Amino acid sequence: MAVLDDLSGFEFEDLIEDVFRNLGYENVRQAEKTADEGRDVIMEEVVDGTRRAVVVECKHTAAVGRPVVQKLHSAISTFDFDGPKRGMVVTTGRFTSPATEYADRLQQNDDPYPIELLDGKDLREIADEIGLDLYNGRIEILCDETLRPYDPAADVDAPVSEAFRDIENIEAADLPDPHSTATFRPVVTVTADTNAVFETSVGVIHRINDRTQFLVHAERGNPQVVDEDVAALVTENFHTRIDLDSEQFGEVFDDVEERRFGQTQTEYKEWAVDRLQQHHTTTVTYTGDNNVTYNKTCEPNHSDISVQSIEPVYLPEVRHTTNLGDYTYPYEYFAAGPSRITTEDGIHRCVHCETNAVDETYTYCPNCGAIACQSHVQTERLEQEPVCTGCAVTERFALKTKYFYDEENLEAFREEYAAMPHHEKAMENKLLAGGGVVATLLFIIGLLVVGGLI
């Protein structure tokens, strides 16, 4: 059968490494590409509380005979591991009868180094379990879990109400229901070990022994490492993930979208190895035996980097949009139950100058629906309520600009102002009125002159 025909032997080993990692084995890693002494993949498993090493031989051939199984048995016996050990031979083809009989006999005789055989049929069954595309050697992302898109103990739009509490001149109870959408974005958590030693004639000049974990946006396009605060949100809430039930969430949100994973697990593993190789590459300065100073670039090999796990999950991105008068206010965040990381706050932002300082006071204008900073908010003269400079009608009275909701309010104040005694008109300009008796008298005289009374 034409299974994995396009893969080389080394590529097949890469694939099997990914397969066993997805099956739950631990510390899955490859042996050196050369002189492997019958060991291609090495991993560990815990059975009844006991940790056991598993040594795997990969054969990308049509048939595997008894000599391959015997060679692996010898390799297991010499493998350095403090604990029980067993072996496994994996092939895309089949096993000959002598090979099967030899492995069965090891099991029956309770041999300390038993060997399990997995043929092409077994691989097909595993493929169905982990999403392996046998014809291109890629492992697809299979994930049906997500972080919680909202706090089950509160309304879905509770974060919006909370954000509006800081806005002057509007009560949360007076807010219209926002339009709420949930987009489930795929991410993967990658955990990898890098172990490398660099030596010259003077000895070890550099050593890498590092475990790295990072979160990656996993949509279409190039993978991108997630910001630290968002990564912490996922890591801290990973144990609380739930089933991604689009129908259920559709009853809570106005719109629900589930994005697809853009690449396979295999591709994310390859990307992670390349990234870590670049990250750990460094230039070391050392002194040779001849007292001459040398510079050496230390770059770990791909075989020095072992991806321990690739764990997928959906990260909900929730977006609320609230319509107030002429304006729409977005509020967007990544969610994990009651925890969230805000990515866009259009509520604490002046619509006129885009000011978004956290220590700024923002005020709601009931006339047009604007939320504005203090430099763009005035007191409406007739109603004595806030009005923003963007919608206010203005006119100068007593040498000072007054702000009004509309022409009707302006006209009403004109009539009121015309009926005011002169001293009340002077009081319309508080700076002038507070400037002293002389300034006030001069202003009143000016009014009398304009009025033709003197």
Side-chain angles (χ1 to χ4, degrees):
M1 60 181 175
V3 178
L4 304 173
D5 282 346
D6 294 334
L7 295 181
S8 68
F10 287 161
E11 290 172 331
F12 181 58
E13 292 171 17
D14 290 338
L15 172 64
I16 295 303
E17 179 188 353
D18 292 337
V19 166
F20 285 121
R21 185 178 298 111
N22 277 269
L23 290 175
Y25 289 89
E26 300 178 7
N27 297 326
V28 183
R29 58 204 184 276
Q30 291 186 46
E32 291 294 334
K33 294 294 186 184
T34 59
D36 65 3
E37 299 179 352
R39 299 188 292 263
D40 293 326
V41 174
I42 303 166
M43 57 195 185
E44 297 171 16
E45 61 184 355
V46 178
V47 180
D48 296 331
T50 300
R51 182 168 292 275
R52 178 168 58 184
V54 183
V55 181
V56 182
E57 175 76 7
C58 302
K59 286 298 179 182
H60 188 23
T61 57
V64 176
R66 173 173 171 163
V68 172
V69 185
Q70 287 179 304
K71 179 182 176 183
L72 177 60
H73 187 265
S74 298
I76 298 170
S77 65
T78 60
F79 179 62
D80 185 16
F81 182 79
D82 186 17
K85 301 174 285 187
R86 75 179 182 95
M88 188 182 299
V89 181
V90 181
T91 179
T92 54
R94 63 179 181 83
F95 293 99
T96 64
S97 295
T100 303
E101 292 170 359
Y102 182 81
D104 289 343
R105 189 158 56 249
L106 294 177
Q107 295 278 359
Q108 295 166 2
N109 295 338
D110 292 328
D111 190 276
Y113 312 123
I115 295 177
E116 180 183 2
L117 305 181
L118 294 179
D119 60 15
K121 179 181 178 182
D122 297 319
L123 274 181
R124 284 195 295 275
E125 294 175 355
I126 292 173
D128 292 338
E129 181 179 344
I130 67 172
L132 167 63
D133 182 351
L134 287 174
Y135 291 91
N136 66 26
R138 298 302 190 186
I139 298 178
E140 304 299 327
I141 297 285
L142 295 182
C143 180
D144 57 4
E145 292 184 319
T146 179
L147 302 184
R148 290 185 179 275
Y150 62 95
D151 182 358
D155 292 336
V156 68
D157 56 357
V160 176
S161 300
E162 181 179 329
F164 269 102
R165 289 195 188 103
D166 297 334
I167 307 302
E168 302 286 342
N169 201 43
I170 190 171
E171 298 294 332
D174 298 330
L175 292 171
D177 292 335
H179 183 273
S180 300
T181 64
T183 301
F184 293 91
R185 298 190 176 277
V187 295
V188 292
T189 299
V190 180
T191 303
D193 290 336
T194 305
N195 294 282
V197 177
F198 301 89
E199 297 182 80
T200 67
S201 59
V202 300
V204 176
I205 62 170
H206 185 57
R207 188 187 303 270
I208 304 172
N209 184 10
D210 178 73
R211 166 158 287 195
T212 308
Q213 184 178 72
F214 49 91
L215 189 73
V216 182
H217 283 299
E219 297 181 44
R220 292 184 181 277
N222 294 326
Q224 293 184 345
V225 176
V226 176
D227 293 340
E228 290 184 6
D229 52 352
V230 179
L233 176 75
V234 175
T235 302
E236 293 168 4
N237 294 278
F238 197 79
H239 65 286
T240 66
R241 59 193 185 277
I242 59 175
D243 290 340
L244 200 166
D245 188 339
S246 298
E247 183 175 345
Q248 173 191 342
F249 296 144
E251 298 176 358
V252 178
F253 294 94
D254 296 305
D255 293 302
V256 173
E257 180 183 3
E258 178 183 339
R259 298 286 177 87
R260 296 184 60 183
F261 283 86
Q263 294 180 290
T264 65
Q265 281 199 19
T266 308
E267 289 166 323
Y268 286 120
K269 175 209 163 187
E270 294 169 349
W271 173 83
V273 169
D274 287 340
R275 180 178 182 274
L276 288 172
Q277 185 182 45
Q278 296 175 13
H279 173 73
H280 287 296
T281 297
T282 186
T283 299
V284 175
T285 301
Y286 69 97
T287 302
D289 294 330
N290 55 1
N291 289 325
V292 176
T293 299
Y294 297 94
N295 292 323
K296 179 177 176 60
T297 299
C298 299
E299 181 183 43
N301 297 317
H302 279 193
S303 59
D304 296 327
I305 304 170
S306 175
V307 176
Q308 297 297 313
S309 64
I310 297 178
E311 299 181 272
V313 70
Y314 283 97
L315 173 61
E317 186 176 44
V318 179
R319 182 178 180 86
H320 304 282
T321 51
T322 305
N323 294 320
L324 294 173
D326 299 333
Y327 298 92
T328 298
Y329 299 97
Y331 189 69
E332 188 170 284
Y333 52 87
F334 289 116
S339 303
R340 62 181 182 273
I341 299 294
T342 302
T343 56
E344 182 182 7
D345 183 357
I347 297 172
H348 297 87
R349 183 169 61 208
C350 179
V351 300
H352 301 300
C353 67
E354 295 294 312
T355 293
N356 60 356
V358 294
D359 56 350
E360 178 71 48
T361 298
Y362 299 91
T363 303
Y364 171 68
C365 173
N367 193 48
C368 66
I371 293 177
C373 66
Q374 289 306 289
S375 62
H376 289 91
V377 173
Q378 299 291 335
T379 300
E380 206 271 353
R381 176 59 187 82
L382 197 66
E383 304 290 343
Q384 294 298 306
E385 295 291 337
V387 63
C388 76
T389 57
C391 71
V393 176
T394 62
E395 189 167 312
R396 292 177 67 83
F397 292 88
L399 305 181
K400 183 176 177 61
T401 301
K402 306 294 181 183
Y403 295 83
F404 302 92
Y405 283 146
D406 49 33
E407 291 289 348
E408 184 178 345
N409 277 26
L410 171 59
E411 182 58 35
F413 182 72
R414 283 180 182 143
E415 296 175 1
E416 181 181 309
Y417 184 79
M420 287 181 184
H422 292 302
H423 70 279
E424 288 187 13
K425 291 180 179 179
M427 292 302 294
E428 284 298 315
N429 190 329
K430 293 181 181 179
L431 292 178
L432 180 62
V437 176
V438 174
T440 303
L441 289 174
L442 291 173
F443 178 72
I444 292 175
I445 293 172
L447 290 176
L448 294 174
V449 171
V450 172
L453 299 179
I454 58 174

